[in-house]
Amino acid sequence: MHSPYPAIAGLLILWMSGSSAAIIMQDGFENPASAPIVGGCNLFPDNNMWNTPIDQAPLHPDSNSYIASIGANTSLHSDFGTSWAGRDIGIPFNIVPMGQNRVPIQFQWWDESDLEADRCNTGGAQDTGCYPIPANPVIEGAPVDEGDRHLLILEQGSCKLYETYATSNASGGWTAGSGAIWDLNQNQQRPAGWTSADASGLAILPGLIRYNEVMVEGEIRHAIRFTLSNIRSAYIPPASHSDGRGGCDSQLPAMGQRFRLRADYDISSFSAPVQVILRAMKKWGIVLADTGSDMFISGEHHDNWDDEMLAELGQLVAGDFEAVYTGDPVGYGNCN
């Protein structure tokens, strides 16, 4: 597809040998702040997509169509917090020390998963990798065995991020739907068409709203992950995959599409911590990263969140946002 903005150097993708590509942000996305730090590791380089502001990015020509497809009056929902109905809300993550013991983990979609199979005894199975899973990791949806069951592990020192989807140890051995390993010191894109632990092929941890950045640091310096139910079967790099159920409909957003809270939206009536989140939505935006409920915003599970405060986000609706242009979609499956 020909770009409607030929003069804009928004994303420069440098294909490299092997299974990854470097993503470098260029003109139009200037002055990225220093990348967020978790566990002593930068969550990707400063110029990574997650860490690059879009407040000055051009409005997408199909922004109105995208918002209409969601429903302009669809409320935001904070899909994170403390717990509800016996289930932890949000996506937790694990921080393990350098050299954490690797254990075998078998993948359903092993041919699109990173295996790192040389650091534990896999018995030579082509569908089994080696991940640094601690003895009692926190997993999304615990203690109830439901939902996407994402397992996120950040290894200190190596600054590698291990993420899996549909993770289980019910039979005494670790299994998952898919797995991705991210070197947080590099800008990476998964091979075209590959999933990750997210349907977009993106990393998860860098897009979570985290407790410390809202309640302690008072600033979010990255884009925020969110979900929709009706997505085009296409992706915008550095996304690499789509399970979009909307087929080839160009009036629907693709995986990796970025939106921002409109600059003129008045946030002064919200509590101070929620204003931190809303300022980030204006500057860094939100990234369509997975299929799920409409306008569900992702964050870290933390027992100290104030759920009533987070419910203030429900005052916003999809119509308060606009889509921005960061690149053309790549058709997936029958939409090539």
Side-chain angles (χ1 to χ4, degrees), residues 81-106:
T82 59
S83 61
W84 181 78
R87 174 181 175 268
D88 290 345
I89 308 171
I91 304 178
F93 57 91
N94 302 266
I95 298 176
V96 299
M98 178 74 169
Q100 170 73 33
N101 185 49
R102 267 59 173 168
V103 299
I105 180 167
Q106 185 180 43

Side-chain angles (χ1 to χ4, degrees), residues 130-147:
C130 298
Y131 280 38
I133 304 175
N136 295 292
V138 288
I139 302 174
E140 180 187 17
V144 181
D145 189 6
E146 64 181 18

Side-chain angles (χ1 to χ4, degrees), residues 20-289:
S20 64
I23 307 299
I24 300 176
M25 306 304 297
Q26 287 197 317
D27 297 340
F29 301 86
E30 301 91 344
N31 302 320
S34 58
I37 298 175
V38 173
C41 298
N42 284 357
L43 294 186
F44 292 120
D46 296 351
N47 62 352
N48 186 265
M49 179 274 289
W50 288 109
N51 306 325
T52 309
I54 58 165
D55 52 333
Q56 300 301 314
L59 183 69
H60 199 290
D62 294 323
S63 178
N64 289 340
S65 296
Y66 293 168
I67 297 300
S69 74
I70 300 167
N73 293 322
T74 301
S75 297
L76 258 67
H77 178 83
S78 54
D79 195 23
F80 61 100
T82 59
S83 61
W84 181 78
R87 174 181 175 268
D88 290 345
I89 308 171
I91 304 178
F93 57 91
N94 302 266
I95 298 176
V96 299
M98 178 74 169
Q100 170 73 33
N101 185 49
R102 267 59 173 168
V103 299
I105 180 167
Q106 185 180 43
F107 295 107
Q108 179 179 358
W109 294 287
W110 57 270
D111 54 344
E112 293 184 18
S113 295
D114 297 323
L115 300 182
E116 195 173 82
D118 60 346
R119 298 185 62 182
C120 69
N121 182 15
T122 66
Q126 66 177 354
D127 61 354
T128 304
C130 298
Y131 280 38
I133 304 175
N136 295 292
V138 288
I139 302 174
E140 180 187 17
V144 181
D145 189 6
E146 64 181 18
D148 285 347
R149 299 283 295 178
H150 287 118
L151 170 61
L152 314 184
I153 303 170
L154 173 60
E155 184 181 52
Q156 295 176 302
S158 71
C159 290
K160 285 189 175 181
L161 174 63
Y162 298 76
E163 298 186 338
T164 64
Y165 159 74
T167 316
S168 176
N169 193 27
S171 61
W174 287 101
T175 61
S178 58
I181 303 173
W182 304 91
D183 183 344
L184 296 175
N185 295 308
Q186 299 182 30
N187 284 318
Q188 292 178 301
Q189 181 185 19
R190 294 179 69 70
W194 276 34
T195 188
S196 60
D198 240 351
S200 62
L202 295 169
I204 297 173
L205 178 58
L208 298 183
I209 296 174
R210 296 180 289 278
Y211 180 84
N212 279 353
E213 60 189 357
V214 174
M215 304 304 299
V216 179
E217 299 171 13
E219 182 184 18
I220 295 174
R221 301 195 308 276
H222 62 83
I224 297 166
R225 175 186 185 270
F226 85 109
T227 63
L228 291 175
S229 63
N230 199 16
I231 302 168
R232 193 190 325 182
S233 186
Y235 57 85
I236 300 171
S240 61
H241 180 271
S242 177
D243 68 347
R245 298 163 190 178
C248 308
D249 188 349
S250 63
Q251 302 302 296
L252 302 177
M255 286 290 185
Q257 175 64 53
R258 295 179 72 168
F259 296 78
R260 66 184 169 216
L261 183 60
R262 294 198 324 268
D264 61 355
Y265 187 89
D266 183 4
I267 67 173
S268 61
S269 64
F270 291 86
S271 62
V274 172
Q275 288 188 38
V276 171
I277 298 172
L278 299 183
R279 283 194 296 271
M281 289 181 175
K282 289 188 176 189
K283 183 171 183 178
W284 311 96
I286 60 178
V287 180
L288 180 52

